[in-house]
Amino acid sequence: MIRRWSETRLNELMTVRRGVNLTGARQVGKTTLAGLIPLPSSTRYTLDDSEIMRAAADDPRGFVKHGSGETLVIDEIQKVPELLDAIKIVLDGDNARGQYLLTGSSNLRFAKSVRDSLAGRLGWLRLRTLALGEINESSPDFLEKAFNRSFKRQYAEIDKREALHLAFKGGYPEPREFNVRERREWFKTYLGDLLTKDIRDVTEIRKVAVLKTAATWLLAHSSQLFSVDELAARTGLVKETAANYLEALRALYLFDKVEAYAKSDYDMIGKRPKWVATDTSLMANVLNWNEQDVYLDAQRSGKLIETWVYHQLAVLADLTGEYEITHYRDNRKREIDFIVERSDGALLGVEVKAGKVSAEDFKHLKWFAANIAKSPFTGIVVHSGKDVLSFGEGFYAIPFSAMG
């Protein structure tokens, strides 16, 4: 079994917070992780069980009662949102730590009928699909090393073909070892279930075919800039409804919304967010992509590898809550794939390059450092070689394998 980086953080949260909401997409390993946490006394329920779900809905306040020193573990909490109000009453009257461990496969901030996600009372931890470093049992220190500029001289080589192979395998634990056909069938069933069943926990959307069209279109445009008007035109929806569909898919953790970097008074900065698929295997398999075809297609390979790099960064950012990821683009077509801001204001610019790196690849990073950054800035281009190369003070080419 692959140990998750989040295990340590979840243990910490259970000792300092009255309860914890462990959230993330279906099938990423939340229940398995929750089962690894040592709890002296616990009772576990899953609301996927229809009888237990009915009992919880019939008597929310009775269902969430627990004994002194006991932890109540409830899987798929979003299925009975009334439980949150009942839990709030308990927590407001009892400051004991570790009373509840909740898991859910949709974001409570978006789920229908949820009036209070208990954000102030519960610790929050998102579990994503597996990162490269988790698979290889590496330490989760890539961002720390990047900000400290403390890389080794050389790493194992991950060339473009290998990077694409890793992206096609993705991070969902179960289908990683499937063959191509089985993996594709798994993801199509997975997406179908989310859009016909789990979506009911989030919104009243009933146009499943249109929702699937929207999801597929978004997967094909992962990490690219687009307007809601474009999505509306593709799906035949009005703009407001298309925006609601975007938020519903985000609530199911199929996509992340990466906001534009805005901490500048430079009036030519773009404000449009990027929507990024949360797993590259989901992206490739739902779109029926073939590894060899994508290898030969610069546009598709670029999107897939950039999405894969984003995932590595996002897993690390979620572990501590010390980092925020945005992107940069302005009206002069200067762009940086990702800007990572540390809690002290230090900035890391990240560009993704599947091929050989040249000084030209640092042009926008160096412009940003000179004209936009008001705090310490490091610029890196992650690439498919094996060498760490310096392109000036604070600017480095870093191999993919350094991320894990």
Side-chain angles (χ1 to χ4, degrees):
M1 181 180 67
I2 297 173
R3 303 299 293 224
R4 305 306 297 268
W5 285 340
S6 298
E7 184 177 344
T8 299
R9 180 58 178 158
L10 182 55
N11 266 310
E12 291 172 351
L13 287 172
M14 288 298 293
T15 63
V16 298
R17 302 301 296 268
R18 286 172 279 177
V20 176
N21 178 27
L22 176 62
T23 188
R26 273 200 181 271
Q27 301 294 322
V28 298
K30 299 185 301 296
T31 301
T32 300
L33 178 57
L36 295 175
I37 304 305
L39 302 172
S41 176
S42 64
T43 301
R44 298 174 184 264
Y45 296 112
T46 175
L47 300 182
D48 275 333
D49 185 312
S50 58
E51 291 187 8
I52 292 175
M53 186 175 72
R54 282 195 294 270
D58 287 345
D59 182 18
R61 296 186 67 171
F63 188 84
V64 302
K65 286 183 179 179
H66 60 79
S68 177
E70 181 185 25
T71 300
L72 199 58
V73 183
I74 306 175
D75 284 336
E76 303 302 336
I77 186 70
Q78 78 283 347
K79 289 185 173 295
V80 185
E82 296 85 358
L83 292 178
L84 294 172
D85 288 334
I87 290 171
K88 177 181 177 181
I89 293 171
V90 175
L91 295 182
D92 284 347
D94 187 349
N95 288 326
R97 305 309 184 219
Q99 297 180 58
Y100 295 97
L101 176 51
L102 312 176
T103 78
S105 51
S106 65
N107 194 324
L108 294 178
R109 295 165 186 163
F110 300 98
K112 68 177 184 180
S113 304
V114 173
R115 292 175 293 181
D116 190 341
S117 67
L118 305 186
R121 297 170 178 82
L122 297 176
W124 183 89
L125 182 62
R126 177 173 173 181
L127 186 65
R128 294 176 180 267
T129 62
L130 291 162
L132 177 66
E134 291 178 304
I135 295 166
N136 291 327
E137 299 181 351
S138 300
S139 299
D141 56 4
F142 174 75
L143 286 177
E144 179 183 351
K145 288 182 175 179
F147 276 95
N148 293 336
R149 305 176 183 177
S150 59
F151 292 105
K152 298 188 299 184
R153 286 179 175 271
Q154 201 172 71
Y155 291 83
E157 183 173 9
I158 296 178
D159 62 16
K160 178 181 175 181
R161 193 177 292 277
E162 176 62 15
L164 286 172
H165 181 65
L166 291 169
F168 266 79
K169 291 185 73 171
Y172 281 90
E174 184 178 359
R176 273 185 49 78
E177 304 307 320
F178 289 175
N179 63 35
V180 172
R181 179 178 177 180
E182 289 171 342
R183 191 181 301 144
R184 185 161 294 174
E185 290 176 354
W186 189 93
F187 276 106
K188 290 187 175 181
T189 299
Y190 175 83
L191 182 63
D193 286 346
L194 286 181
L195 301 185
T196 58
K197 299 174 184 177
D198 290 38
I199 195 68
R200 299 170 189 168
D201 300 325
V202 177
T203 182
E204 299 294 339
I205 291 174
R206 291 292 180 265
K207 295 181 179 180
V208 176
V210 178
L211 188 62
K212 184 176 181 181
T213 297
T216 304
W217 189 88
L218 285 169
L219 288 169
H221 290 77
S222 177
S223 79
Q224 292 185 307
L225 292 175
F226 64 86
S227 69
V228 178
D229 290 321
E230 292 176 77
L231 176 61
R234 180 65 181 87
T235 55
L237 298 168
V238 298
K239 183 176 180 179
E240 292 76 11
T241 303
N244 290 337
Y245 276 41
L246 273 172
E247 292 301 331
L249 293 167
R250 181 184 176 197
L252 293 175
Y253 294 111
L254 292 173
F255 300 92
D256 280 356
K257 184 181 183 181
V258 180
E259 299 286 358
Y261 182 81
K263 296 183 179 180
S264 172
D265 55 5
Y266 183 52
D267 59 7
M268 300 189 74
I269 290 181
K271 298 180 180 180
R272 195 177 289 180
K274 289 203 293 192
W275 290 81
V276 185
T278 53
D279 187 82
T280 48
S281 191
L282 172 73
M283 177 180 171
N285 283 283
V286 170
L287 294 172
N288 294 314
W289 284 358
N290 171 276
E291 278 193 44
Q292 179 62 18
D293 292 342
V294 172
Y295 175 77
L296 297 172
D297 185 328
Q299 184 180 39
R300 286 189 292 173
S301 63
K303 286 189 293 188
L304 192 66
I305 291 176
E306 184 178 327
T307 299
W308 180 75
V309 168
Y310 168 77
H311 177 67
Q312 314 309 316
L313 299 173
V315 171
L316 293 167
D318 286 347
L319 280 178
T320 63
E322 293 292 311
Y323 303 99
E324 178 185 1
I325 301 175
T326 57
H327 77 94
Y328 179 85
R329 182 168 181 173
D330 62 31
N331 293 344
R332 296 290 178 85
K333 296 186 178 179
R334 287 181 287 249
E335 57 185 305
I336 298 173
D337 293 330
F338 304 108
I339 301 287
V340 184
E341 182 174 3
R342 198 167 59 187
S343 58
D344 63 358
L347 297 171
L348 174 71
V350 183
E351 282 277 77
V352 182
K353 184 72 180 292
K356 292 182 179 180
V357 183
S358 70
E360 182 71 12
D361 298 315
F362 288 85
K363 181 173 65 175
H364 296 164
L365 290 167
K366 291 185 175 183
W367 181 89
F368 186 96
N371 295 278
I372 300 296
K374 306 299 183 185
S375 53
F377 180 86
T378 299
I380 65 173
V381 176
V382 288
H383 66 100
S384 56
K386 61 181 179 180
D387 297 311
V388 173
L389 304 171
S390 174
F391 283 80
E393 180 65 28
F395 298 92
Y396 305 91
I398 306 295
F400 289 139
S401 56
M403 295 187 294

